[in-house]
Amino acid sequence: MGFLISLAAGLGIIFSAETLILLGNGVGQGGIWLLAFLIAAALIHLFGAITVFADISDPHGETRFLQKTLGSRAALVFPLSSRLSLAVVIATGLLVTAGFVFNEVFVYWFPNFLFAYLLLGLILIVNLLGRTVWGNVQAFVMLVALFGLIVLIIAGFFLTPPPPATASEPAPSPSLLRTALMAMLLPIGYELALFSNGELSGKRQKSPAAAIFLGSLILLLWGIVSLRWISPSILAKTTIPYTVAARTILGQEGRVIMGIVILAGTAGAINSLFGGVSRMVAAITSADLLPAVFGDKYFKGRFTPLLLTAATAAMLLTGMAGSSHLDAFLRGSLILWLIHYAALHFAYFKDRRHETPRQGRRSHLAVTVVLALVASGLLVTDEERKVVVSFMIVMVGSVLILAAGWAGLIRTRNQG
């Protein structure tokens, strides 16, 4: 059960609606190139999973590793600015999507925003009930999402697509650079397997490599099926490529199955992030980098889920879910996440500088450069780059202010 929960935690973001949108629009714009770049991106992330994250066997390991190699400030800034920001931003978007799906597919009279708040409250309760409940729920919803996608993929391969009723529009000319850059975001979040339920025996069980392999394989197959059934021009333009493909393959039954996948994937993504970020924050707190209220000593680690829920509810109440900038905030969080990966690979390279063979170390330096270039490319080619940059500056600046304030408070207390 331990490995299953760990795998489910690593698959949380990968099976979310946001990833399926990114995949569907990507194959519409880049076609088979997106799938080729997805394989390359999965291999790069897999390299990090079997080296860097295989050595970090628990939530405290990442903090200790960054603190030892890059310093205490890096151990605070990189994880918090990326994972904390993404947890709140993506939860806001996913909850609204789940609300619309529930309203339009299952219960037409039920208010979509009420469903979003109820689902948010349910995820909070799961996180407050303890790690055993959290892990069991995570495994269940991810199995539901995985099973639904497998059913649709099998149907998409074995059934025959109908001939197009009208001549399809020409597919948009793909930007291979943008396609390659976006592919790197698809398998993201796999290392949340490290923050899964319980203390597992052995590092191999907690390695997120399995999440990358399974998640990327399912995304690859779903991308192929989507291209087989839907014209690229439609996939590139629609905001719900997953529903369009599922409905075309199996009709109303496919629409219902995809609705279940979206609801389960939303619960899994938010639950994985809320639980993972809470344990990450507790680990950072145990290293005296944050106030003790965020750790396990007070409230048994329940303060952070409450904070994340309050922040997400505030985003929903203020109408941020309908803001045109929410997608820009999401892209900014994902870029910060890639920068976090780059920092970990550089830390690994620095930590192994006295070891042989050198070729292995240089591979981590090469991955650091690749991830940094991808993050920079995503930023430069973004149509809302000013909003994205501003968001990233606010996130990093807020964490730096928090770090400086806490460090100053500790110095004052020690001097006193």
Side-chain angles (χ1 to χ4, degrees):
M1 190 65 176
F3 177 78
L4 179 61
I5 293 173
S6 177
L7 176 63
L11 290 172
I13 302 176
I14 297 176
F15 285 168
S16 70
E18 294 293 347
T19 303
L20 294 179
I21 293 172
L22 190 63
L23 175 69
N25 293 157
V27 294
Q29 295 165 1
I32 200 70
W33 282 106
L34 186 278
L35 302 178
F37 289 131
L38 169 59
I39 295 173
L43 291 175
I44 292 174
H45 286 303
L46 190 62
F47 176 68
I50 62 178
T51 55
V52 179
F53 291 111
D55 284 350
I56 300 172
S57 58
D58 57 65
H60 298 269
E62 183 185 67
T63 302
R64 289 194 299 263
F65 179 62
L66 285 174
Q67 201 171 14
K68 179 183 74 171
T69 53
L70 301 181
S72 296
R73 189 160 297 180
L76 187 65
V77 171
F78 288 117
L80 275 186
S81 63
S82 57
R83 293 187 185 131
L84 190 62
S85 63
L86 184 68
V88 175
V89 172
I90 201 172
T92 304
L94 288 176
L95 285 169
V96 173
T97 299
F100 278 107
V101 168
F102 186 78
N103 172 267
E104 295 175 2
V105 178
F106 299 104
V107 184
Y108 300 104
W109 54 265
F110 202 91
N112 47 19
F113 272 92
L114 176 59
F115 180 83
Y117 284 113
L118 290 175
L119 182 57
L120 177 62
L122 178 62
I123 293 171
L124 172 62
I125 292 172
V126 168
N127 278 265
L128 295 180
L129 288 177
R131 297 187 179 184
T132 301
V133 174
W134 176 90
N136 291 335
V137 169
Q138 183 66 25
F140 172 74
V141 294
M142 283 293 96
L143 283 174
V144 170
L146 177 61
F147 181 73
L149 286 171
I150 290 175
V151 169
L152 290 170
I153 288 170
I154 293 174
F157 276 115
F158 283 92
L159 297 179
T160 303
T166 58
S168 59
E169 299 178 16
S173 56
S175 167
L176 290 184
L177 174 61
R178 185 69 180 174
T179 301
L181 296 175
M182 296 301 290
M184 192 64 74
L185 299 176
L186 291 173
I188 213 166
Y190 53 87
E191 81 282 4
L192 290 175
L194 298 174
F195 304 93
S196 58
N197 176 51
E199 296 297 329
L200 305 180
S201 58
K203 298 178 182 179
R204 183 172 299 178
Q205 274 192 311
K206 301 195 78 171
S207 171
I212 298 176
F213 179 79
L214 179 59
S216 299
L217 177 62
I218 295 297
L219 293 180
L220 180 68
L221 295 175
W222 180 244
I224 295 172
V225 167
S226 299
L227 277 176
R228 186 169 184 256
W229 284 80
I230 309 296
S231 67
S233 58
I234 295 177
L235 285 173
K237 294 177 182 179
T238 179
T239 57
I240 50 171
Y242 44 81
T243 300
V244 173
R247 185 174 54 198
T248 306
I249 296 170
L250 285 179
Q252 180 61 20
E253 290 80 5
R255 185 167 175 258
V256 171
I257 292 173
M258 182 52 74
I260 295 172
V261 169
I262 296 303
L263 294 182
T266 295
I270 300 175
N271 191 53
S272 177
L273 277 165
F274 279 22
V277 168
S278 298
R279 284 155 215 165
M280 177 195 74
V281 169
I284 295 174
T285 302
S286 68
D288 293 329
L289 300 179
L290 285 174
V293 68
F294 293 103
D296 291 328
K297 183 178 179 181
Y298 297 99
F299 311 112
K300 295 183 179 180
R302 293 182 172 89
F303 183 75
T304 303
L306 287 168
L307 188 64
L308 291 169
T309 302
T312 305
M315 294 274 282
L316 291 170
L317 283 172
T318 55
M320 280 304 302
S323 171
S324 59
H325 294 322
L326 185 66
D327 286 339
F329 296 164
L330 177 60
R331 293 193 297 272
S333 299
L334 291 171
I335 292 172
L336 287 171
W337 203 301
L338 284 181
I339 294 173
H340 180 204
Y341 285 155
L344 283 168
H345 278 280
F346 180 72
Y348 201 87
F349 165 79
K350 185 178 179 182
D351 188 54
R352 301 296 194 274
R353 62 184 179 274
H354 299 304
E355 295 185 7
T356 55
R358 292 184 178 181
Q359 186 176 358
R361 290 179 49 245
R362 288 174 180 171
S363 298
H364 287 282
L365 184 60
V367 172
T368 301
V369 173
V370 168
L371 291 173
L373 289 175
V374 170
S376 302
L378 287 168
L379 198 56
V380 171
T381 58
D382 199 293
E383 296 179 355
E384 296 182 272
R385 66 181 67 92
K386 292 183 179 179
V387 179
V388 175
V389 170
S390 300
F391 175 80
M392 293 170 64
I393 290 174
V394 169
M395 290 297 102
V396 174
S398 300
V399 177
L400 287 174
I401 292 172
L402 175 64
W406 179 241
L409 183 62
I410 290 179
R411 283 197 301 269
T412 302
R413 184 178 63 187
N414 291 339
Q415 289 173 359

